[in-house]
Amino acid sequence: MSIPSGGPAAAPRVPEAVHRRRWAILGVLMFSLLIVVLDNSILNVAVKTIASPAPTGIGATQSQLEWAINSYTLVFAGLLFTAGLLGDRIGRKKVLLGGILLFGLGSALAAFSSSPGELITWRALMGFGAAFVMPATLAVLMNVFERDEQPKAIGIWAGSVGLGIAIGPITGGALLEHFWWGSIFLVNVPVVVIALIAMVLLVPDSRDPAPGRVDPLGVVLSIVGLVLLVYGIIRGGELASFTGIGVLAPLIGGLLVLAAFVWHEKRSPHPSIDISYFRKPAFSAAVAAIALVFFALMGVTFFSAFYLQSVRGYTALESGLLILPLAAAQMIFAPRARLVVDRFGAKAVCTVGMLLVAVGLAAFSLFTADTPLWILCVVFFVQGTGMAHIMPPVTVAVMQALPRERAGSGSAINNTFRQVGGALGIAVLGSVLSTVYRGDIEGHLDGVPAAARDVAGESIEATLGVAQKLGPAGKPLVAAANDAFISAMHVTALGSAAVALIGAAVVAAFLPGRPPAPGKPDQGEPDRAPLAAEEPVHQA
């Protein structure tokens, strides 16, 4: 498999009426995707406010706050694969409309939650809706753009994901400065209404014309396996340990169920996903690269928020603004990544991109409490540039490996590996950060009352909270907490960089090299199924 470029143009497969409005359709898809991605990052800046007693917040505990975030992630990751399959069968537009509607409903209910339990429940509903939105946006994109324009469209799509991650904290900080905590969810409602209207008017429907029989056992195994695996990852991150039975049981159970899923799919006459695709080195390398880059990046995103706010003292809004260079780099370079791939090949481009991400992550191991802001901005820009040259090519590699009628399945695979990789990065690297921090800070807690000593050692936020209660006597503890956190951040940053280097080795070994020159046939695998095997895109 290779990422095609040049050569004779393929016969048009998209109706002319759809082709003319393809860029408007992409705008609607990006709009829908943006609110889903943005919402998951926007909550991180509101946790302190939600933890405050009523009427400022709802008095959520640390564990309840974690589950307000994790309930979304758990449901979202568990249903991604099933959502992609459903879109291929009943129509991607229907799935997209239903998903965005559920997301909007969950947002409205979450905004007016009166207790942490309600917030956790409605966040799970939002995750349910989001699971049907994300794969459908990419599947629709593959069915409204011709093959030669897909890399450019996917680059723009990938750039919108980076934009959502970056502007989430900015939006959340701005809303919390002027409104109550529920505004971070309520703001989704008018956006959802606009997105629904635009989808009905512009987005065409498409589906697999010959999906075969439903594979209920495969669907159940995929949901159970993913939910158990992600739950174990989340639980390990909460406990900062992966050795307890409460963590190992769901982790091992999830892996066993997913192994049973693979075994069943290989033998089923009507599988949910053709496992043979994973025998292609380029396909497997692409999905592995997605998981590894998000493992590394989400880990550093997790600890950089504490570095900027707890150590450097910036507000949530200011911290969000400092991450803008990362978003800017993705918006600038992601849509143009295809041009670099055409010239140098996916192997070279993605390897260099991974190395740039590794350099950016390793730079955090040199940061201190006084590192100039312009250096932070340069590092974030380098990270964004690396991401912009990884995600579009590997996404193209995954999506163009599957027939267009299976676009929902391809998108689900792409997003599932990204979500699991990101969750694993936060859990594992967060555990490393917590363990190193606790080891460094324990020697400075001698003057802390015994009742507060265990709490003070949990995190830098907990230590600073105890130091504040001690008054002037707590100033040395603040300095010790900052030093301990920076030391822990250095170790975690090097771990993140090592994961990115593994990703560089994977893509260098298995992704396709430079594409064939124009006029020379690609000696790789044959192209997808002929046009007759595909169903035309239905106009709205």
Side-chain angles (χ1 to χ4, degrees), residues 121-358:
T121 300
W122 303 135
R123 284 282 296 166
L125 180 61
M126 292 170 67
F128 191 101
F132 287 83
V133 173
M134 184 167 275
T137 59
L138 188 52
V140 171
L141 180 156
M142 297 298 292
N143 279 271
V144 299
F145 284 90
E146 297 293 354
R147 191 176 179 88
D148 60 336
E149 283 190 322
Q150 287 171 0
K152 180 179 181 180
I154 287 174
I156 297 171
W157 179 91
S160 70
V161 175
L163 180 64
I165 292 172
I167 69 174
I170 301 172
T171 306
L175 288 170
L176 291 173
E177 283 188 4
H178 299 93
F179 306 102
W180 100 112
W181 68 268
S183 62
I184 66 170
F185 299 116
L186 196 61
V187 70
N188 293 332
V189 176
V191 179
V192 164
V193 172
I194 295 171
L196 285 171
I197 295 172
M199 284 179 205
V200 170
L201 295 177
L202 291 173
V203 176
D205 202 2
S206 60
R207 61 183 178 271
D208 185 347
R213 289 191 296 160
V214 176
D215 177 22
L217 180 58
V219 168
V220 171
L221 288 174
S222 70
I223 293 174
V224 173
L226 285 169
V227 167
L228 284 174
L229 179 64
V230 175
Y231 175 81
I233 292 169
I234 290 171
R235 190 65 180 146
E238 286 179 342
L239 301 175
S241 171
F242 287 83
T243 58
I245 188 64
V247 176
L248 287 176
L251 278 177
I252 295 173
L255 290 173
L256 289 175
V257 173
L258 289 175
F261 168 73
V262 172
W263 182 87
H264 169 74
E265 293 300 293
K266 289 172 70 174
R267 288 157 179 78
S268 174
H270 46 90
S272 298
I273 179 66
D274 188 348
I275 301 298
S276 65
Y277 286 114
F278 286 91
R279 298 195 189 111
K280 302 177 182 180
F283 181 86
S284 294
V287 294
I290 291 168
L292 288 169
V293 75
F294 269 84
F295 180 102
L297 194 71
M298 292 306 290
V300 78
T301 301
F302 176 76
F303 67 67
S304 65
F306 289 101
Y307 169 70
L308 293 172
Q309 296 183 44
S310 301
V311 177
R312 303 297 296 264
Y314 296 113
T315 65
L317 180 57
E318 290 167 340
S319 299
L321 289 171
L322 286 171
I323 303 177
L324 273 181
L326 186 148
Q330 291 204 53
M331 292 300 293
I332 293 169
F333 295 114
R336 297 169 174 81
R338 76 195 190 284
L339 303 176
V340 190
V341 171
D342 285 346
R343 183 168 183 180
F344 300 105
K347 181 194 296 284
V349 172
C350 290
T351 300
V352 172
M354 278 287 193
L355 292 175
L356 285 176
V357 170

Side-chain angles (χ1 to χ4, degrees), residues 451-474:
R453 194 169 298 162
D454 286 342
V455 174
E458 288 181 357
S459 65
I460 186 173
E461 282 296 315
T463 308
L464 294 178
V466 170
Q468 186 176 14
K469 293 178 182 178
L470 294 175

